[in-house]
Amino acid sequence: MPPNTTATTGDKPGKSGRKKGRRARLFVLVLVLAIVGGIAYGAYWSISTVRASFPQTKGSLTLKGLSGPVTVKRDGYGIPQIYASSDADLFMAQGYVQAQDRFYEMDVRRHMTSGRLSEMFGKGQVKNDEFLRTLGWDRVAKEEYDTKLSDSTKNYLQAYAKGVNAYLDGKDGKDISLEYAALGFTNDYKPEQWTPVDSVSWLKAMAWDLRGNMQDEIDRALMTSRLGPQQIKDLYPEYPYGRNKAIVQEGQYDELTKTFEQSGSTSGSGASTDASGSSTSSTTGSALTSQLAGLYNVLDDVPTAVGVNGQGIGSNSWVVAGKYTISGKPLLANDPHLSASLPSVWYQMGLHCTTVSSKCQYDVTGYTFAGMPGVIIGHNADIAWGTTNSGVDVTDLYLEKLSGDGYLYDGKTKPFTSREETIKVAGGTSKKIVVRQTADGMPLLSDRDDELVKVGKKASVDTAAPDRGDGYGVALKWTALEPGTTMDAVFALDRASDWSSFRDAAAQFDVPSQNLVYADTKNNIGYTLPGRIPTRSSADDGSIPAPGWDSKYRWTGYIKQDELPYEYDPKRGYIVTANQAVVDKDKYPYTLTTDWGYGTRSQRITDLIESKIKDGGKISTDDMRQMQLDNSSEIAKLLVPKLLKINLDDKDVREAQKLLEGWDYTQDADSAAAAYFNSVWRNILKLAFGNKLPKELRVEGQCLWVEKADSTGPIDDDSKVRECGERAADQAQPDGGDRWFEVVRTLMDKPNSDWWKTPASGTRPKAGNMDELFARAMIDARWELTAKLGKDIDTWSWGRLHRLFLKNQTLGTDGPSILQYVLNRGPWKLSGGEATVNATGWNAAGGYGVVWVPSMRMVVNLDDLDKSKWINLTGASGHAFSAHYTDQTSKWADGELLPWSFSDKAVDKSTDDTLVLKP
């Protein structure tokens, strides 16, 4: 045992514990035999090595630094509930317990946020480290810690770090995690002590994956190489405010609007450019295309932290007032949609003061991140809250005219500030880089990729733009690169007891900007939009990269917190947030973004609520769960009636078409109709749009003969060139999300649009209008599924296409095949789909595999908190052979929720293991 700990024997395990133990031992034995038989690692790894890192969860341990005893109670899924008599002891114990279960994950995260992955994984991570060092997350986090955070928050962070380090004390890597034992074959890496800044830095990673519309900025600019202004506008239609309601409908923005109308203020970024980016299109062309394509490649390589690198990020959260619930008190549901990771990004736990007082202020439970103290989403004794990504635009890319060691700004050359960074490389030579940033703190991202610096000789510019010289740079303006107070907000939310204190806490949640829904035990519900949200001049709406050499494109300030939208106890009795528009654009003076989600999920949730409460109906906790599992395809409702009217000559294709007859549009895993429809949808998108997009947006390796961009005469062999896609399959376009729903919906009113035209291919006929393209898509879908699932349509099912694989985010992705086998799990055949409430997302350009998921699900019952329910994607443990590695996944896939104990009595009843930490 470590020097500062002593162990005593706990209670004997019950039958369920013995069964789990036997299963775990058998699995470990099989694994070890496989390793011994397969590779030399077997000589080193043994059952004792594998089990060495498992946490002690029973008996007692002495933990130096505690002021009093702390009790850790774990249920049958290993989820801990911690009981302490002081705040410091509570958070120290949280650090210790999270390190027991997840330290390897915590260690990887801090190396990512600080740009030090190469120290763990070698030279293959140098490019990632260069980019992350350029962003400087850890530097901003340190500045936050030093200058912005309250003394109490610093004390909590210090206590948490103390707990983590108490766990590390005296342990070798193999004592901490199986992954460290694997790393030991190629690297002498040893874990370092945890610091408070390590915890704060993770907030930057979370903000990165929820950063808004940066990818849309890049994509719109890249499209200019092949598409004209109107074509790009077609692909970014207006938000359908009349059909899909905004979040805030009865909120407190009305008086603000009146004030602005009376004053005639235009300080908000009310002006807009068209979606083609006409305000800067003169600076695009081959040079900018090269720059932005290079930038995208760098962004795409950054390790996935919380989401899918900003693409397709979504979430559902809604709250229903007591007048519409069976209990008479509010119900609150939340399921954030993030990329699937193993272990899950979320960690479930409870933090309880034995007596809530000024000395010990917390009694809260919910989901947090391993590596961070406090609870991010959940409830305490008085209130509950959930979050979804607001999608507001908090990033802008700026083109910079480079001049010597500086950049052009309002006709003058300003010097960059610079710093030198040294990247240490496991098993290799260290690399030094220079990071440059503008006077107002924007890092020059283009320094990280040669293509971003060396522009092409054929760059298209006009007289308004400066001569390109050696090329334009690309710099990033982002609210998260300024120190903030989000860590203060986490603890304030955990302590909040009513709407007023909740709003005060939310105001400190500056980055990332999130939709926060609220409910309390006194029968109130609410919504607030916090965050540091920039205002822009009328020259710029943030939709495209802006000219950095012109000061009129710089941000003009930030929206004041008391001017941000919110709602409290709306008359309609419910609030739904699912990444749709926050407010109607005509009712609010500021432009929050030009790239909302299009409201498909939010409107479906609204419809489900209204159908339940009509004629006096009431909603239960299980009704909320069932809504989370809704698999209805909204695009199928639009397209299937049209598809069924199309005449098809091929009997095999007609056979597939008949699957859609009588289909209820539900995407269950066993549905053949869902499989066929989604294949038709994918082929519609490919034929109408995908094949016409520039290579930078298409799937890597998929090659087409396309018309040369500069062709002016008839299309013939001499005017075509073979181009291959360059984007990762899960990031390519068209991705099939609800923006594409809206694109197709709009174009269906134009059946002869050029978008519906596509040439013949092999035996496949050409299409000259919408009906012909739909027919071609149905033919292509039939034979695509024949190749994938077989000719017999009776064997088809959506789940055979739509599968979830859980991968360890480091060695399970890039390690030896035997390690991937050891660390990864799956597949699971899933229901749901893209822009469905049960949002098991897939990228239509890349295939049918699951890309992101409801990363957890919860339903809070404010009448009886012990009747609340929750589930995680994987399990509490990050140890590959723990019984709690993926013990929640199958239940999650089946749509089940677990009991969520909160009161002392309920926790005691559900406790399987008890560990006492003694001072």
Side-chain angles (χ1 to χ4, degrees):
M1 299 298 297
N4 292 323
T5 63
T6 57
T8 58
T9 303
D11 297 332
K12 294 181 179 180
K15 290 183 179 179
S16 63
R18 286 197 296 270
K19 288 180 180 177
K20 288 179 181 177
R22 285 197 297 269
R23 286 196 297 268
R25 285 194 295 273
L26 285 171
F27 190 32
V28 170
L29 181 59
V30 170
L31 161 75
V32 172
L33 290 173
I35 292 175
V36 169
I39 56 173
Y41 290 156
Y44 179 72
W45 284 353
S46 64
I47 292 177
S48 60
T49 300
V50 170
R51 294 181 60 84
S53 59
F54 285 14
Q56 179 180 341
T57 59
K58 294 183 178 182
S60 65
L61 292 170
T62 299
L63 213 60
K64 185 178 180 181
L66 290 175
S67 63
V70 176
T71 303
V72 183
K73 301 179 180 181
R74 292 179 183 259
D75 68 9
Y77 290 88
I79 299 171
Q81 304 282 341
I82 301 176
Y83 292 83
S85 298
S86 72
D87 290 341
D89 285 355
L90 189 66
F91 293 116
M92 182 178 175
Q94 183 182 17
Y96 185 87
V97 169
Q98 286 193 341
Q100 280 187 305
D101 286 335
R102 300 276 195 99
F103 182 77
Y104 175 77
E105 175 192 8
M106 293 162 58
D107 199 17
V108 172
R109 285 178 174 177
R110 66 167 166 178
H111 278 78
M112 182 188 72
T113 57
S114 59
R116 298 171 54 209
L117 288 167
S118 300
E119 294 178 20
M120 294 185 76
F121 305 110
K123 63 182 180 180
Q125 295 297 323
V126 169
K127 283 288 186 182
N128 285 331
D129 284 346
E130 290 180 7
F131 185 74
L132 293 163
R133 294 286 184 97
T134 300
L135 289 175
W137 289 346
D138 61 329
R139 298 172 63 87
V140 180
K142 186 176 188 311
E143 189 176 353
E144 279 185 10
Y145 182 81
D146 291 341
T147 65
K148 289 288 186 179
L149 299 182
S150 67
D151 289 341
S152 62
T153 293
K154 290 180 182 179
N155 290 336
Y156 299 155
L157 289 164
Q158 290 164 6
Y160 180 90
K162 188 191 238 183
V164 175
N165 292 329
Y167 168 75
L168 295 177
D169 192 12
K171 290 184 172 66
D172 293 326
K174 64 182 175 59
D175 300 323
I176 298 171
S177 175
L178 178 65
E179 289 91 335
Y180 288 120
L183 282 177
F185 288 99
T186 58
N187 188 354
D188 59 358
Y189 171 81
K190 292 180 175 57
E192 300 172 351
Q193 293 278 290
W194 192 264
T195 74
V197 174
D198 292 334
S199 295
V200 180
S201 294
W202 180 242
L203 290 170
K204 302 304 173 186
M206 181 173 70
W208 177 253
D209 279 324
L210 303 173
R211 64 191 178 272
N213 73 338
M214 186 193 295
Q215 305 301 162
D216 287 314
E217 283 191 52
I218 294 171
D219 286 357
R220 276 188 287 259
L222 290 172
M223 285 178 184
T224 60
S225 68
R226 287 229 162 261
L227 304 178
Q230 183 56 50
Q231 290 174 307
I232 297 174
K233 192 171 184 178
D234 288 345
L235 302 186
Y236 288 89
E238 288 289 319
Y239 182 90
Y241 290 98
R243 187 173 67 254
N244 296 341
K245 300 297 183 185
I247 297 171
V248 177
Q249 300 169 41
E250 306 168 34
Q252 299 302 310
Y253 58 85
D254 296 280
E255 291 302 316
L256 175 63
T257 303
K258 291 176 184 177
T259 301
F260 272 77
E261 288 173 347
Q262 291 166 1
S263 66
S265 172
T266 58
S267 62
S269 134
S272 63
T273 57
D274 66 46
S276 69
S278 58
S279 63
T280 58
S281 61
S282 60
T283 64
T284 61
S286 60
L288 180 57
T289 298
S290 176
Q291 290 172 304
L292 293 175
L295 173 58
Y296 191 95
N297 291 336
V298 175
L299 297 180
D300 190 39
D301 284 341
V302 174
T304 299
V306 186
V308 191
N309 286 323
Q311 291 283 79
I313 295 299
S315 300
N316 301 321
S317 191
W318 68 95
V319 60
V320 180
K323 65 180 179 180
Y324 292 134
T325 68
I326 290 175
S327 70
K329 291 288 181 70
L331 293 169
L332 186 151
N334 195 190
D335 54 287
H337 306 156
L338 303 169
S339 67
S341 61
L342 182 61
S344 167
V345 69
W346 298 110
Y347 185 91
Q348 298 154 284
M349 71 187 320
L351 301 171
H352 309 277
C353 291
T354 50
T355 301
V356 177
S357 65
S358 58
K359 178 183 176 183
C360 197
Q361 304 173 72
Y362 296 88
D363 189 16
V364 62
T365 180
Y367 298 83
T368 188
F369 302 125
M372 271 185 57
V375 166
I376 307 297
I377 299 172
H379 73 81
N380 58 32
D382 301 302
I383 74 166
W385 66 97
T387 71
T388 63
N389 190 24
S390 70
V392 299
D393 188 0
V394 296
T395 62
D396 275 336
L397 293 172
Y398 285 89
L399 306 180
E400 302 291 352
K401 164 59 181 173
L402 306 182
S403 178
D405 293 327
Y407 60 99
L408 190 67
Y409 188 74
D410 283 349
K412 298 180 180 178
T413 298
K414 301 187 77 169
F416 286 108
T417 60
S418 63
R419 66 180 185 271
E420 188 175 81
E421 298 269 355
T422 300
I423 298 171
K424 297 179 182 178
V425 182
T429 304
S430 296
K431 182 176 181 179
K432 292 186 177 182
I433 64 169
V434 174
V435 175
R436 297 190 291 177
Q437 61 186 41
T438 64
D440 52 352
M442 294 194 297
L444 197 65
L445 302 186
S446 51
D447 279 351
R448 302 285 69 86
D449 191 287
D450 291 343
E451 287 189 6
L452 302 181
V453 180
K454 299 176 181 178
V455 299
K457 295 182 178 181
K458 297 181 180 179
S460 172
V461 297
D462 65 12
T463 55
D467 180 78
R468 66 178 180 269
D470 292 331
Y472 300 126
V474 180
L476 172 66
K477 181 73 171 175
W478 179 31
T479 54
L481 297 182
E482 302 170 16
T485 57
T486 300
M487 200 71 240
D488 283 340
V490 171
F491 297 111
L493 284 171
D494 290 352
R495 296 191 304 265
S497 59
D498 55 23
W499 174 246
S500 177
S501 54
F502 172 79
R503 285 262 293 162
D504 288 344
Q508 301 176 71
F509 204 104
D510 47 20
V511 177
S513 176
Q514 297 286 284
N515 298 310
L516 293 178
V517 294
Y518 165 93
D520 64 37
T521 56
K522 295 180 180 177
N523 219 354
N524 302 297
I525 65 172
Y527 161 84
T528 191
L529 174 69
R532 187 187 299 134
I533 302 172
T535 56
R536 298 171 175 86
S537 70
S538 59
D540 179 27
D541 68 355
S543 65
I544 52 172
W549 47 81
D550 191 338
S551 62
K552 71 181 180 183
Y553 288 93
R554 286 302 199 260
W555 292 355
T556 58
Y558 298 97
I559 303 174
K560 295 178 181 178
Q561 288 294 313
D562 59 5
E563 294 177 348
L564 289 170
Y566 70 93
E567 277 192 335
Y568 185 61
D569 286 338
K571 293 178 183 178
R572 66 184 181 279
Y574 59 85
I575 301 169
V576 176
T577 79
N579 318 112
Q580 78 271 39
V582 170
V583 295
D584 192 306
K585 65 176 182 178
D586 296 327
K587 296 181 179 179
Y588 191 67
Y590 297 106
T591 296
L592 297 172
T593 186
T594 59
D595 292 299
W596 299 116
Y598 280 76
T600 302
R601 282 179 287 108
S602 64
Q603 194 57 44
R604 176 62 179 170
I605 295 167
T606 297
D607 292 345
L608 290 170
I609 293 171
E610 291 186 343
S611 68
K612 190 69 180 178
I613 64 178
K614 70 179 181 180
D615 302 325
K618 301 288 185 179
I619 295 175
S620 68
T621 300
D622 196 60
D623 289 330
M624 300 284 274
R625 179 188 71 87
Q626 292 286 357
M627 292 177 192
Q628 289 179 324
L629 302 178
D630 182 77
N631 292 319
S632 177
S633 170
E634 298 304 295
I635 191 62
K637 293 176 184 177
L638 177 69
L639 290 180
V640 166
K642 185 71 176 175
L643 296 174
L644 288 173
K645 293 179 181 178
I646 293 175
N647 292 320
L648 297 164
D649 295 330
D650 189 312
K651 65 180 180 61
D652 291 314
V653 181
R654 288 201 310 272
E655 181 187 30
Q657 183 186 35
K658 288 180 181 179
L659 289 172
L660 304 179
E661 295 177 358
W663 179 42
D664 64 358
Y665 313 120
T666 299
Q667 301 171 101
D668 293 332
D670 60 0
S671 171
Y676 181 59
F677 171 77
N678 282 317
S679 182
V680 173
W681 170 238
R682 178 175 186 245
N683 280 281
I684 287 173
L685 293 172
K686 177 182 177 182
L687 294 169
F689 310 106
N691 291 348
K692 299 164 188 173
L693 295 176
K695 63 181 184 296
E696 292 84 5
L697 275 67
R698 298 202 313 269
V699 175
E700 184 177 9
Q702 291 185 3
C703 303
L704 298 168
W705 286 95
V706 300
E707 184 181 358
K708 292 179 182 177
D710 57 356
S711 295
T712 57
I715 300 176
D716 54 35
D717 290 342
D718 291 334
S719 64
K720 289 186 177 182
V721 62
R722 190 169 186 265
E723 285 188 348
C724 298
E726 297 178 351
R727 189 166 287 187
D730 62 356
Q731 299 284 301
Q733 293 294 334
D735 61 20
D738 65 354
R739 172 165 68 89
W740 293 99
F741 290 13
E742 200 63 24
V743 169
V744 169
R745 183 191 299 273
T746 302
L747 288 172
M748 286 178 73
D749 293 331
K750 303 173 183 177
N752 295 311
S753 167
D754 286 345
W755 287 112
W756 300 124
K757 298 176 182 178
T758 191
S761 176
T763 61
R764 305 289 199 270
K766 71 176 182 178
N769 57 43
M770 181 179 70
D771 284 353
E772 291 177 358
L773 185 136
F774 283 5
R776 165 75 180 274
M778 294 175 78
I779 295 169
D780 288 357
R782 175 31 158 143
W783 300 115
E784 180 187 11
L785 293 197
T786 296
K788 291 180 181 295
L789 303 179
K791 188 173 182 179
D792 184 358
I793 65 173
D794 291 336
T795 68
W796 291 2
S797 70
W798 177 225
R800 288 181 63 194
L801 292 171
H802 193 54
R803 299 186 298 167
L804 170 67
F805 292 84
L806 291 175
K807 294 186 177 182
N808 177 289
Q809 292 302 293
T810 56
L811 301 180
T813 302
D814 295 321
S817 58
I818 186 64
L819 272 180
Q820 294 187 38
Y821 174 79
V822 166
L823 296 172
N824 299 340
R825 300 290 183 270
W828 285 266
K829 298 176 181 179
L830 297 189
S831 301
E834 184 61 37
T836 302
V837 181
N838 184 18
T840 55
W842 55 287
N843 185 297
Y848 303 99
V850 177
V851 177
W852 60 85
V853 295
S855 55
M856 62 80 157
R857 297 187 185 102
M858 74 177 198
V859 179
V860 183
N861 184 326
L862 275 299
D863 176 60
D864 184 346
L865 293 168
D866 287 329
K867 291 182 179 178
S868 302
K869 304 285 186 179
W870 63 352
I871 195 82
N872 204 351
L873 173 64
T874 59
S877 179
H879 299 286
F881 304 108
S882 165
H884 306 305
Y885 190 49
T886 56
D887 58 341
Q888 297 184 51
T889 307
S890 292
K891 291 183 180 296
W892 170 91
D894 291 338
E896 297 182 38
L897 296 178
L898 303 176
W900 185 357
S901 301
F902 178 67
S903 69
D904 291 349
K905 182 178 179 181
V907 169
D908 286 343
K909 186 177 179 180
S910 64
T911 296
D912 274 15
D913 294 348
T914 300
L915 175 68
V916 177
L917 304 176
K918 296 181 178 180

